[in-house]
Amino acid sequence: MILYQGKVKDILEGPEPGTVLVRFRDDVTAGDGKKRARFVGKGRVSREISEHLFQYLERQGVPTHYVGPYDVTSFVAKKVNIIPLEVVVRNVATGSLVRRLGIPEGKVLDPPLMEFFYKNDALHDPLICRNHVFLLGICDERTLDAVEVLAEKANHLLKGYFQERGLRLIDIKFEFGRDPDGRLVLADELGPDIMRVWTLDGRSLDKDVFRQDKGNLMEAYHELRNAVIRR
Ligand code: ADP
């Protein structure tokens, strides 16, 4: 039974109580859902990358919703109450940060910059600050502090993981939730739709290939997958 149908994934009832299936479809969207397409095999490769990175973060002590494998396009996760916050961590300036603030494209951000967006389709996921988080009742201060610590740690670990494979993690969007025991966990996905990864010579292996029509999306996603699964 489908519990929730998102733009690119479905959330279904899981095999055990308190679990869900996170199922990746072959859809891709960009520009607030205005640009859409479908690529055969995208769901599978997004699931593979996502699952691999969740397993890596779990081994490194980051609590996540990941439970285990299921099938080619789905994995089992804890059912969580998603905090309606998109936590973006940026290691290098690009995209909306460059457009909004005029920061030079490609500038290294050290320490990484953390931004919050209110996860609300009707409002088009606006950029918000800490005070807005509390004003909107998105979460309390202790939770936000814990979210920041986890986002920073996950970004740091993933940045290193990609670095070891000759790739640069440019930025990434995290979502967090509370599992049935009330534990704060990293949720949603860790695929190339929610992060930017560049090769050392500056090619994108992520959704920018689709956003900016710069090449073959599936080739880029497969190249990323092959790097991610390399030991
Ligand atoms: P959107 O909701 O933006 O269209 P997706 O297509 O990625 O995005 O849909 C997946 C949805 O499932 C997201 O809203 C995400 O917050 C939610 N979600 C992710 N992991 C879980 C989970 N473990 N339990 C419940 N909901 C989840």
PDB file of all heavy atoms in Angstrom, residues 3-11 20 22-23 25 29 65 75 77-83 86 119 121 125 173 175-176 185-189 194, ligand 1:
ATOM      1  N   LEU A   3       1.778   4.823   0.966  1.00  0.00           N
ATOM      2  CA  LEU A   3       1.423   5.761   2.025  1.00  0.00           C
ATOM      3  C   LEU A   3       1.564   7.198   1.533  1.00  0.00           C
ATOM      4  O   LEU A   3       0.840   8.087   1.959  1.00  0.00           O
ATOM      5  CB  LEU A   3       2.345   5.560   3.233  1.00  0.00           C
ATOM      6  CG  LEU A   3       2.348   4.171   3.870  1.00  0.00           C
ATOM      7  CD1 LEU A   3       3.407   4.091   4.961  1.00  0.00           C
ATOM      8  CD2 LEU A   3       0.967   3.878   4.450  1.00  0.00           C
ATOM      9  N   TYR A   4       2.552   7.390   0.660  1.00  0.00           N
ATOM     10  CA  TYR A   4       2.823   8.743   0.182  1.00  0.00           C
ATOM     11  C   TYR A   4       3.471   8.665  -1.186  1.00  0.00           C
ATOM     12  O   TYR A   4       4.369   7.859  -1.399  1.00  0.00           O
ATOM     13  CB  TYR A   4       3.763   9.472   1.153  1.00  0.00           C
ATOM     14  CG  TYR A   4       4.136  10.863   0.693  1.00  0.00           C
ATOM     15  CD1 TYR A   4       3.257  11.934   0.858  1.00  0.00           C
ATOM     16  CD2 TYR A   4       5.352  11.103   0.066  1.00  0.00           C
ATOM     17  CE1 TYR A   4       3.584  13.201   0.405  1.00  0.00           C
ATOM     18  CE2 TYR A   4       5.694  12.370  -0.388  1.00  0.00           C
ATOM     19  CZ  TYR A   4       4.805  13.410  -0.212  1.00  0.00           C
ATOM     20  OH  TYR A   4       5.137  14.663  -0.670  1.00  0.00           O
ATOM     21  N   GLN A   5       2.973   9.461  -2.106  1.00  0.00           N
ATOM     22  CA  GLN A   5       3.574   9.504  -3.424  1.00  0.00           C
ATOM     23  C   GLN A   5       4.261  10.843  -3.620  1.00  0.00           C
ATOM     24  O   GLN A   5       3.599  11.884  -3.667  1.00  0.00           O
ATOM     25  CB  GLN A   5       2.487   9.300  -4.484  1.00  0.00           C
ATOM     26  CG  GLN A   5       3.063   9.144  -5.869  1.00  0.00           C
ATOM     27  CD  GLN A   5       2.205   8.248  -6.746  1.00  0.00           C
ATOM     28  OE1 GLN A   5       0.980   8.301  -6.681  1.00  0.00           O
ATOM     29  NE2 GLN A   5       2.837   7.437  -7.557  1.00  0.00           N
ATOM     30  N   GLY A   6       5.578  10.829  -3.666  1.00  0.00           N
ATOM     31  CA  GLY A   6       6.338  12.064  -3.862  1.00  0.00           C
ATOM     32  C   GLY A   6       6.600  12.310  -5.329  1.00  0.00           C
ATOM     33  O   GLY A   6       6.026  11.643  -6.194  1.00  0.00           O
ATOM     34  N   LYS A   7       7.458  13.270  -5.602  1.00  0.00           N
ATOM     35  CA  LYS A   7       7.743  13.633  -6.994  1.00  0.00           C
ATOM     36  C   LYS A   7       8.581  12.564  -7.690  1.00  0.00           C
ATOM     37  O   LYS A   7       8.436  12.343  -8.886  1.00  0.00           O
ATOM     38  CB  LYS A   7       8.453  14.995  -7.055  1.00  0.00           C
ATOM     39  CG  LYS A   7       7.504  16.158  -6.710  1.00  0.00           C
ATOM     40  CD  LYS A   7       8.079  17.507  -7.074  1.00  0.00           C
ATOM     41  CE  LYS A   7       9.043  18.035  -6.046  1.00  0.00           C
ATOM     42  NZ  LYS A   7       8.422  18.427  -4.779  1.00  0.00           N
ATOM     43  N   VAL A   8       9.468  11.911  -6.938  1.00  0.00           N
ATOM     44  CA  VAL A   8      10.333  10.898  -7.570  1.00  0.00           C
ATOM     45  C   VAL A   8      10.381   9.575  -6.813  1.00  0.00           C
ATOM     46  O   VAL A   8      10.964   8.611  -7.292  1.00  0.00           O
ATOM     47  CB  VAL A   8      11.783  11.424  -7.762  1.00  0.00           C
ATOM     48  CG1 VAL A   8      11.786  12.650  -8.663  1.00  0.00           C
ATOM     49  CG2 VAL A   8      12.461  11.732  -6.442  1.00  0.00           C
ATOM     50  N   LYS A   9       9.772   9.547  -5.622  1.00  0.00           N
ATOM     51  CA  LYS A   9       9.782   8.327  -4.821  1.00  0.00           C
ATOM     52  C   LYS A   9       8.386   8.073  -4.249  1.00  0.00           C
ATOM     53  O   LYS A   9       7.594   9.005  -4.087  1.00  0.00           O
ATOM     54  CB  LYS A   9      10.769   8.461  -3.643  1.00  0.00           C
ATOM     55  CG  LYS A   9      12.212   8.722  -4.064  1.00  0.00           C
ATOM     56  CD  LYS A   9      13.189   8.521  -2.916  1.00  0.00           C
ATOM     57  CE  LYS A   9      13.057   9.465  -1.743  1.00  0.00           C
ATOM     58  NZ  LYS A   9      13.408  10.854  -2.047  1.00  0.00           N
ATOM     59  N   ASP A  10       8.156   6.789  -3.934  1.00  0.00           N
ATOM     60  CA  ASP A  10       6.938   6.420  -3.205  1.00  0.00           C
ATOM     61  C   ASP A  10       7.352   5.873  -1.855  1.00  0.00           C
ATOM     62  O   ASP A  10       8.380   5.210  -1.732  1.00  0.00           O
ATOM     63  CB  ASP A  10       6.177   5.321  -3.946  1.00  0.00           C
ATOM     64  CG  ASP A  10       5.735   5.759  -5.330  1.00  0.00           C
ATOM     65  OD1 ASP A  10       5.357   6.932  -5.475  1.00  0.00           O
ATOM     66  OD2 ASP A  10       5.785   4.928  -6.250  1.00  0.00           O
ATOM     67  N   ILE A  11       6.521   6.129  -0.851  1.00  0.00           N
ATOM     68  CA  ILE A  11       6.713   5.542   0.468  1.00  0.00           C
ATOM     69  C   ILE A  11       5.591   4.533   0.658  1.00  0.00           C
ATOM     70  O   ILE A  11       4.406   4.896   0.582  1.00  0.00           O
ATOM     71  CB  ILE A  11       6.675   6.624   1.574  1.00  0.00           C
ATOM     72  CG1 ILE A  11       7.730   7.720   1.322  1.00  0.00           C
ATOM     73  CG2 ILE A  11       6.845   5.999   2.951  1.00  0.00           C
ATOM     74  CD1 ILE A  11       9.166   7.272   1.374  1.00  0.00           C
ATOM     75  N   VAL A  20       8.900   1.270   6.553  1.00  0.00           N
ATOM     76  CA  VAL A  20       8.347   1.630   5.242  1.00  0.00           C
ATOM     77  C   VAL A  20       9.298   1.119   4.165  1.00  0.00           C
ATOM     78  O   VAL A  20      10.445   0.761   4.458  1.00  0.00           O
ATOM     79  CB  VAL A  20       8.192   3.173   5.074  1.00  0.00           C
ATOM     80  CG1 VAL A  20       7.138   3.727   6.009  1.00  0.00           C
ATOM     81  CG2 VAL A  20       9.529   3.896   5.252  1.00  0.00           C
ATOM     82  N   VAL A  22      11.101   2.602   0.884  1.00  0.00           N
ATOM     83  CA  VAL A  22      11.388   3.805   0.109  1.00  0.00           C
ATOM     84  C   VAL A  22      11.643   3.318  -1.313  1.00  0.00           C
ATOM     85  O   VAL A  22      12.618   2.610  -1.566  1.00  0.00           O
ATOM     86  CB  VAL A  22      12.619   4.559   0.663  1.00  0.00           C
ATOM     87  CG1 VAL A  22      12.921   5.776  -0.196  1.00  0.00           C
ATOM     88  CG2 VAL A  22      12.407   4.954   2.125  1.00  0.00           C
ATOM     89  N   ARG A  23      10.725   3.630  -2.228  1.00  0.00           N
ATOM     90  CA  ARG A  23      10.816   3.121  -3.598  1.00  0.00           C
ATOM     91  C   ARG A  23      11.105   4.256  -4.587  1.00  0.00           C
ATOM     92  O   ARG A  23      10.356   5.238  -4.647  1.00  0.00           O
ATOM     93  CB  ARG A  23       9.516   2.412  -3.987  1.00  0.00           C
ATOM     94  CG  ARG A  23       9.632   1.714  -5.340  1.00  0.00           C
ATOM     95  CD  ARG A  23       8.464   0.818  -5.602  1.00  0.00           C
ATOM     96  NE  ARG A  23       7.272   1.617  -5.859  1.00  0.00           N
ATOM     97  CZ  ARG A  23       6.043   1.116  -5.956  1.00  0.00           C
ATOM     98  NH1 ARG A  23       5.833  -0.180  -5.792  1.00  0.00           N
ATOM     99  NH2 ARG A  23       5.024   1.889  -6.206  1.00  0.00           N
ATOM    100  N   ARG A  25      11.283   5.812  -8.158  1.00  0.00           N
ATOM    101  CA  ARG A  25      10.744   5.685  -9.519  1.00  0.00           C
ATOM    102  C   ARG A  25      11.795   6.177 -10.526  1.00  0.00           C
ATOM    103  O   ARG A  25      12.862   6.640 -10.141  1.00  0.00           O
ATOM    104  CB  ARG A  25       9.439   6.488  -9.633  1.00  0.00           C
ATOM    105  CG  ARG A  25       8.366   6.050  -8.607  1.00  0.00           C
ATOM    106  CD  ARG A  25       6.981   6.569  -9.009  1.00  0.00           C
ATOM    107  NE  ARG A  25       6.982   7.993  -9.321  1.00  0.00           N
ATOM    108  CZ  ARG A  25       6.769   8.954  -8.422  1.00  0.00           C
ATOM    109  NH1 ARG A  25       6.495   8.680  -7.163  1.00  0.00           N
ATOM    110  NH2 ARG A  25       6.811  10.227  -8.795  1.00  0.00           N
ATOM    111  N   THR A  29      12.741  15.420 -11.591  1.00  0.00           N
ATOM    112  CA  THR A  29      12.127  16.748 -11.718  1.00  0.00           C
ATOM    113  C   THR A  29      13.158  17.792 -11.324  1.00  0.00           C
ATOM    114  O   THR A  29      14.089  17.508 -10.577  1.00  0.00           O
ATOM    115  CB  THR A  29      10.889  16.927 -10.798  1.00  0.00           C
ATOM    116  OG1 THR A  29      11.330  16.998  -9.437  1.00  0.00           O
ATOM    117  CG2 THR A  29       9.877  15.811 -10.945  1.00  0.00           C
ATOM    118  N   HIS A  65      17.588   6.306   8.992  1.00  0.00           N
ATOM    119  CA  HIS A  65      16.347   5.506   8.939  1.00  0.00           C
ATOM    120  C   HIS A  65      16.561   4.181   8.220  1.00  0.00           C
ATOM    121  O   HIS A  65      15.655   3.356   8.173  1.00  0.00           O
ATOM    122  CB  HIS A  65      15.214   6.313   8.292  1.00  0.00           C
ATOM    123  CG  HIS A  65      15.343   6.546   6.825  1.00  0.00           C
ATOM    124  ND1 HIS A  65      14.261   6.819   6.021  1.00  0.00           N
ATOM    125  CD2 HIS A  65      16.419   6.573   5.999  1.00  0.00           C
ATOM    126  CE1 HIS A  65      14.662   6.998   4.773  1.00  0.00           C
ATOM    127  NE2 HIS A  65      15.970   6.856   4.735  1.00  0.00           N
ATOM    128  N   PHE A  75      14.392   0.186  -0.658  1.00  0.00           N
ATOM    129  CA  PHE A  75      15.010  -0.335   0.560  1.00  0.00           C
ATOM    130  C   PHE A  75      14.042  -0.167   1.720  1.00  0.00           C
ATOM    131  O   PHE A  75      13.063   0.588   1.621  1.00  0.00           O
ATOM    132  CB  PHE A  75      16.373   0.312   0.836  1.00  0.00           C
ATOM    133  CG  PHE A  75      16.368   1.803   1.085  1.00  0.00           C
ATOM    134  CD1 PHE A  75      16.014   2.336   2.322  1.00  0.00           C
ATOM    135  CD2 PHE A  75      16.755   2.688   0.081  1.00  0.00           C
ATOM    136  CE1 PHE A  75      16.026   3.703   2.557  1.00  0.00           C
ATOM    137  CE2 PHE A  75      16.770   4.071   0.307  1.00  0.00           C
ATOM    138  CZ  PHE A  75      16.409   4.569   1.550  1.00  0.00           C
ATOM    139  N   ALA A  77      13.144   1.102   5.406  1.00  0.00           N
ATOM    140  CA  ALA A  77      13.560   2.161   6.332  1.00  0.00           C
ATOM    141  C   ALA A  77      12.587   2.194   7.503  1.00  0.00           C
ATOM    142  O   ALA A  77      11.475   1.657   7.411  1.00  0.00           O
ATOM    143  CB  ALA A  77      13.558   3.513   5.621  1.00  0.00           C
ATOM    144  N   LYS A  78      13.034   2.804   8.596  1.00  0.00           N
ATOM    145  CA  LYS A  78      12.098   3.045   9.681  1.00  0.00           C
ATOM    146  C   LYS A  78      11.081   4.077   9.220  1.00  0.00           C
ATOM    147  O   LYS A  78      11.428   5.023   8.496  1.00  0.00           O
ATOM    148  CB  LYS A  78      12.840   3.615  10.900  1.00  0.00           C
ATOM    149  CG  LYS A  78      13.783   2.637  11.545  1.00  0.00           C
ATOM    150  CD  LYS A  78      14.521   3.347  12.647  1.00  0.00           C
ATOM    151  CE  LYS A  78      15.554   2.435  13.260  1.00  0.00           C
ATOM    152  NZ  LYS A  78      16.507   3.187  14.099  1.00  0.00           N
ATOM    153  N   LYS A  79       9.845   3.900   9.626  1.00  0.00           N
ATOM    154  CA  LYS A  79       8.827   4.926   9.348  1.00  0.00           C
ATOM    155  C   LYS A  79       9.124   6.105  10.278  1.00  0.00           C
ATOM    156  O   LYS A  79       9.211   5.909  11.498  1.00  0.00           O
ATOM    157  CB  LYS A  79       7.437   4.382   9.641  1.00  0.00           C
ATOM    158  CG  LYS A  79       6.321   5.332   9.291  1.00  0.00           C
ATOM    159  CD  LYS A  79       4.985   4.754   9.706  1.00  0.00           C
ATOM    160  CE  LYS A  79       4.277   4.134   8.520  1.00  0.00           C
ATOM    161  NZ  LYS A  79       2.972   3.546   8.908  1.00  0.00           N
ATOM    162  N   VAL A  80       9.337   7.260   9.735  1.00  0.00           N
ATOM    163  CA  VAL A  80       9.655   8.402  10.604  1.00  0.00           C
ATOM    164  C   VAL A  80       8.675   9.549  10.381  1.00  0.00           C
ATOM    165  O   VAL A  80       8.017   9.630   9.342  1.00  0.00           O
ATOM    166  CB  VAL A  80      11.100   8.907  10.377  1.00  0.00           C
ATOM    167  CG1 VAL A  80      12.124   7.794  10.573  1.00  0.00           C
ATOM    168  CG2 VAL A  80      11.269   9.555   9.018  1.00  0.00           C
ATOM    169  N   ASN A  81       8.599  10.402  11.387  1.00  0.00           N
ATOM    170  CA  ASN A  81       7.929  11.687  11.210  1.00  0.00           C
ATOM    171  C   ASN A  81       8.970  12.650  10.680  1.00  0.00           C
ATOM    172  O   ASN A  81       9.898  13.028  11.397  1.00  0.00           O
ATOM    173  CB  ASN A  81       7.385  12.202  12.551  1.00  0.00           C
ATOM    174  CG  ASN A  81       6.070  11.563  12.888  1.00  0.00           C
ATOM    175  OD1 ASN A  81       5.229  11.327  12.004  1.00  0.00           O
ATOM    176  ND2 ASN A  81       5.881  11.240  14.159  1.00  0.00           N
ATOM    177  N   ILE A  82       8.806  13.001   9.418  1.00  0.00           N
ATOM    178  CA  ILE A  82       9.789  13.880   8.778  1.00  0.00           C
ATOM    179  C   ILE A  82       9.665  15.295   9.355  1.00  0.00           C
ATOM    180  O   ILE A  82       8.565  15.839   9.468  1.00  0.00           O
ATOM    181  CB  ILE A  82       9.559  13.909   7.246  1.00  0.00           C
ATOM    182  CG1 ILE A  82       9.869  12.546   6.623  1.00  0.00           C
ATOM    183  CG2 ILE A  82      10.350  15.028   6.574  1.00  0.00           C
ATOM    184  CD1 ILE A  82      11.330  12.225   6.410  1.00  0.00           C
ATOM    185  N   ILE A  83      10.792  15.866   9.728  1.00  0.00           N
ATOM    186  CA  ILE A  83      10.825  17.280  10.126  1.00  0.00           C
ATOM    187  C   ILE A  83      10.805  18.091   8.832  1.00  0.00           C
ATOM    188  O   ILE A  83      11.639  17.852   7.952  1.00  0.00           O
ATOM    189  CB  ILE A  83      12.105  17.579  10.943  1.00  0.00           C
ATOM    190  CG1 ILE A  83      12.125  16.730  12.223  1.00  0.00           C
ATOM    191  CG2 ILE A  83      12.225  19.059  11.250  1.00  0.00           C
ATOM    192  CD1 ILE A  83      13.442  16.760  12.978  1.00  0.00           C
ATOM    193  N   GLU A  86      14.597  21.205   4.949  1.00  0.00           N
ATOM    194  CA  GLU A  86      15.646  20.701   4.068  1.00  0.00           C
ATOM    195  C   GLU A  86      16.941  21.360   4.527  1.00  0.00           C
ATOM    196  O   GLU A  86      17.046  22.588   4.552  1.00  0.00           O
ATOM    197  CB  GLU A  86      15.323  21.057   2.614  1.00  0.00           C
ATOM    198  CG  GLU A  86      13.994  20.453   2.180  1.00  0.00           C
ATOM    199  CD  GLU A  86      13.801  20.445   0.671  1.00  0.00           C
ATOM    200  OE1 GLU A  86      14.464  21.232  -0.028  1.00  0.00           O
ATOM    201  OE2 GLU A  86      12.973  19.632   0.208  1.00  0.00           O
ATOM    202  N   LYS A 119      10.374  22.897   4.089  1.00  0.00           N
ATOM    203  CA  LYS A 119       9.862  21.894   3.151  1.00  0.00           C
ATOM    204  C   LYS A 119       8.360  22.081   3.015  1.00  0.00           C
ATOM    205  O   LYS A 119       7.593  21.549   3.811  1.00  0.00           O
ATOM    206  CB  LYS A 119      10.207  20.500   3.702  1.00  0.00           C
ATOM    207  CG  LYS A 119      10.049  19.358   2.740  1.00  0.00           C
ATOM    208  CD  LYS A 119      10.590  18.087   3.372  1.00  0.00           C
ATOM    209  CE  LYS A 119       9.853  16.855   2.927  1.00  0.00           C
ATOM    210  NZ  LYS A 119       9.860  16.642   1.476  1.00  0.00           N
ATOM    211  N   ASP A 121       5.705  22.618  -0.323  1.00  0.00           N
ATOM    212  CA  ASP A 121       5.517  22.773  -1.766  1.00  0.00           C
ATOM    213  C   ASP A 121       4.726  24.030  -2.114  1.00  0.00           C
ATOM    214  O   ASP A 121       5.077  24.740  -3.052  1.00  0.00           O
ATOM    215  CB  ASP A 121       4.795  21.547  -2.346  1.00  0.00           C
ATOM    216  CG  ASP A 121       5.729  20.356  -2.515  1.00  0.00           C
ATOM    217  OD1 ASP A 121       6.966  20.571  -2.562  1.00  0.00           O
ATOM    218  OD2 ASP A 121       5.236  19.206  -2.581  1.00  0.00           O
ATOM    219  N   ASP A 125       9.283  25.791  -0.996  1.00  0.00           N
ATOM    220  CA  ASP A 125      10.467  25.484  -0.173  1.00  0.00           C
ATOM    221  C   ASP A 125      11.377  26.698   0.064  1.00  0.00           C
ATOM    222  O   ASP A 125      12.545  26.697  -0.351  1.00  0.00           O
ATOM    223  CB  ASP A 125      11.303  24.364  -0.823  1.00  0.00           C
ATOM    224  CG  ASP A 125      10.517  23.075  -1.027  1.00  0.00           C
ATOM    225  OD1 ASP A 125       9.485  22.878  -0.350  1.00  0.00           O
ATOM    226  OD2 ASP A 125      10.955  22.256  -1.860  1.00  0.00           O
ATOM    227  N   LYS A 173      21.679  17.935   0.239  1.00  0.00           N
ATOM    228  CA  LYS A 173      20.461  18.264   0.994  1.00  0.00           C
ATOM    229  C   LYS A 173      20.062  17.073   1.868  1.00  0.00           C
ATOM    230  O   LYS A 173      19.859  15.970   1.357  1.00  0.00           O
ATOM    231  CB  LYS A 173      19.314  18.588   0.034  1.00  0.00           C
ATOM    232  CG  LYS A 173      18.033  18.929   0.763  1.00  0.00           C
ATOM    233  CD  LYS A 173      16.789  18.486   0.027  1.00  0.00           C
ATOM    234  CE  LYS A 173      16.558  17.019   0.094  1.00  0.00           C
ATOM    235  NZ  LYS A 173      15.293  16.555  -0.481  1.00  0.00           N
ATOM    236  N   GLU A 175      17.431  15.390   4.896  1.00  0.00           N
ATOM    237  CA  GLU A 175      16.168  15.487   5.651  1.00  0.00           C
ATOM    238  C   GLU A 175      16.301  14.615   6.884  1.00  0.00           C
ATOM    239  O   GLU A 175      16.938  13.557   6.825  1.00  0.00           O
ATOM    240  CB  GLU A 175      14.989  14.996   4.806  1.00  0.00           C
ATOM    241  CG  GLU A 175      14.663  15.940   3.667  1.00  0.00           C
ATOM    242  CD  GLU A 175      13.412  15.527   2.905  1.00  0.00           C
ATOM    243  OE1 GLU A 175      12.565  14.792   3.477  1.00  0.00           O
ATOM    244  OE2 GLU A 175      13.284  15.933   1.744  1.00  0.00           O
ATOM    245  N   PHE A 176      15.690  15.058   7.968  1.00  0.00           N
ATOM    246  CA  PHE A 176      15.741  14.310   9.222  1.00  0.00           C
ATOM    247  C   PHE A 176      14.334  13.989   9.695  1.00  0.00           C
ATOM    248  O   PHE A 176      13.370  14.648   9.317  1.00  0.00           O
ATOM    249  CB  PHE A 176      16.471  15.124  10.298  1.00  0.00           C
ATOM    250  CG  PHE A 176      17.929  15.329   9.981  1.00  0.00           C
ATOM    251  CD1 PHE A 176      18.346  16.401   9.199  1.00  0.00           C
ATOM    252  CD2 PHE A 176      18.879  14.426  10.423  1.00  0.00           C
ATOM    253  CE1 PHE A 176      19.687  16.567   8.871  1.00  0.00           C
ATOM    254  CE2 PHE A 176      20.224  14.579  10.108  1.00  0.00           C
ATOM    255  CZ  PHE A 176      20.625  15.656   9.331  1.00  0.00           C
ATOM    256  N   VAL A 185      16.886  10.774  13.332  1.00  0.00           N
ATOM    257  CA  VAL A 185      17.670  10.029  12.338  1.00  0.00           C
ATOM    258  C   VAL A 185      17.711  10.769  11.003  1.00  0.00           C
ATOM    259  O   VAL A 185      16.792  11.511  10.657  1.00  0.00           O
ATOM    260  CB  VAL A 185      17.086   8.601  12.089  1.00  0.00           C
ATOM    261  CG1 VAL A 185      17.208   7.728  13.317  1.00  0.00           C
ATOM    262  CG2 VAL A 185      15.641   8.660  11.599  1.00  0.00           C
ATOM    263  N   LEU A 186      18.781  10.519  10.261  1.00  0.00           N
ATOM    264  CA  LEU A 186      18.889  11.003   8.895  1.00  0.00           C
ATOM    265  C   LEU A 186      17.952  10.163   8.022  1.00  0.00           C
ATOM    266  O   LEU A 186      18.015   8.930   8.078  1.00  0.00           O
ATOM    267  CB  LEU A 186      20.346  10.855   8.426  1.00  0.00           C
ATOM    268  CG  LEU A 186      20.667  11.278   6.999  1.00  0.00           C
ATOM    269  CD1 LEU A 186      20.364  12.745   6.778  1.00  0.00           C
ATOM    270  CD2 LEU A 186      22.144  10.985   6.695  1.00  0.00           C
ATOM    271  N   ALA A 187      17.078  10.810   7.254  1.00  0.00           N
ATOM    272  CA  ALA A 187      16.044  10.074   6.508  1.00  0.00           C
ATOM    273  C   ALA A 187      16.155  10.339   5.008  1.00  0.00           C
ATOM    274  O   ALA A 187      17.199  10.770   4.514  1.00  0.00           O
ATOM    275  CB  ALA A 187      14.674  10.453   7.036  1.00  0.00           C
ATOM    276  N   ASP A 188      15.087  10.064   4.322  1.00  0.00           N
ATOM    277  CA  ASP A 188      14.933  10.284   2.878  1.00  0.00           C
ATOM    278  C   ASP A 188      15.976   9.505   2.079  1.00  0.00           C
ATOM    279  O   ASP A 188      16.064   8.302   2.219  1.00  0.00           O
ATOM    280  CB  ASP A 188      14.937  11.771   2.562  1.00  0.00           C
ATOM    281  CG  ASP A 188      14.271  12.061   1.224  1.00  0.00           C
ATOM    282  OD1 ASP A 188      13.257  11.430   0.926  1.00  0.00           O
ATOM    283  OD2 ASP A 188      14.783  12.914   0.472  1.00  0.00           O
ATOM    284  N   GLU A 189      16.713  10.160   1.201  1.00  0.00           N
ATOM    285  CA  GLU A 189      17.618   9.447   0.293  1.00  0.00           C
ATOM    286  C   GLU A 189      19.001  10.086   0.273  1.00  0.00           C
ATOM    287  O   GLU A 189      19.180  11.198   0.797  1.00  0.00           O
ATOM    288  CB  GLU A 189      17.048   9.457  -1.122  1.00  0.00           C
ATOM    289  CG  GLU A 189      17.005  10.835  -1.753  1.00  0.00           C
ATOM    290  CD  GLU A 189      16.912  10.789  -3.278  1.00  0.00           C
ATOM    291  OE1 GLU A 189      17.835  10.236  -3.908  1.00  0.00           O
ATOM    292  OE2 GLU A 189      15.929  11.300  -3.823  1.00  0.00           O
ATOM    293  N   ILE A 194      19.927  14.685  -4.854  1.00  0.00           N
ATOM    294  CA  ILE A 194      19.949  15.580  -3.683  1.00  0.00           C
ATOM    295  C   ILE A 194      21.362  16.050  -3.336  1.00  0.00           C
ATOM    296  O   ILE A 194      21.563  16.640  -2.276  1.00  0.00           O
ATOM    297  CB  ILE A 194      19.271  14.922  -2.458  1.00  0.00           C
ATOM    298  CG1 ILE A 194      19.988  13.639  -1.998  1.00  0.00           C
ATOM    299  CG2 ILE A 194      17.803  14.610  -2.747  1.00  0.00           C
ATOM    300  CD1 ILE A 194      20.934  13.805  -0.872  1.00  0.00           C
TER     301      ILE A 194
HETATM  302  P1  ADP B   1       8.743  15.092  -2.450  1.00  0.00           P
HETATM  303  O1  ADP B   1       7.956  14.815  -1.214  1.00  0.00           O
HETATM  304  O2  ADP B   1       9.534  16.366  -2.362  1.00  0.00           O
HETATM  305  O3  ADP B   1       7.956  15.010  -3.703  1.00  0.00           O
HETATM  306  P2  ADP B   1      10.104  12.502  -2.905  1.00  0.00           P
HETATM  307  O4  ADP B   1       9.569  12.135  -4.217  1.00  0.00           O
HETATM  308  O5  ADP B   1      11.557  12.289  -2.660  1.00  0.00           O
HETATM  309  O6  ADP B   1       9.932  14.027  -2.532  1.00  0.00           O
HETATM  310  O7  ADP B   1       9.218  11.721  -1.841  1.00  0.00           O
HETATM  311  C1  ADP B   1       9.690  11.082  -0.757  1.00  0.00           C
HETATM  312  C2  ADP B   1       8.992  11.612   0.468  1.00  0.00           C
HETATM  313  O8  ADP B   1       9.071  10.655   1.520  1.00  0.00           O
HETATM  314  C3  ADP B   1       9.614  12.882   1.007  1.00  0.00           C
HETATM  315  O9  ADP B   1       8.592  13.797   1.309  1.00  0.00           O
HETATM  316  C4  ADP B   1      10.340  12.437   2.267  1.00  0.00           C
HETATM  317  O10 ADP B   1      10.373  13.445   3.231  1.00  0.00           O
HETATM  318  C5  ADP B   1       9.504  11.256   2.718  1.00  0.00           C
HETATM  319  N1  ADP B   1      10.257  10.246   3.485  1.00  0.00           N
HETATM  320  C6  ADP B   1      11.547   9.894   3.309  1.00  0.00           C
HETATM  321  N2  ADP B   1      11.925   8.938   4.156  1.00  0.00           N
HETATM  322  C7  ADP B   1      10.834   8.645   4.924  1.00  0.00           C
HETATM  323  C8  ADP B   1      10.585   7.734   6.005  1.00  0.00           C
HETATM  324  N3  ADP B   1      11.531   6.927   6.462  1.00  0.00           N
HETATM  325  N4  ADP B   1       9.344   7.727   6.557  1.00  0.00           N
HETATM  326  C9  ADP B   1       8.381   8.546   6.087  1.00  0.00           C
HETATM  327  N5  ADP B   1       8.543   9.423   5.078  1.00  0.00           N
HETATM  328  C10 ADP B   1       9.758   9.482   4.489  1.00  0.00           C
END
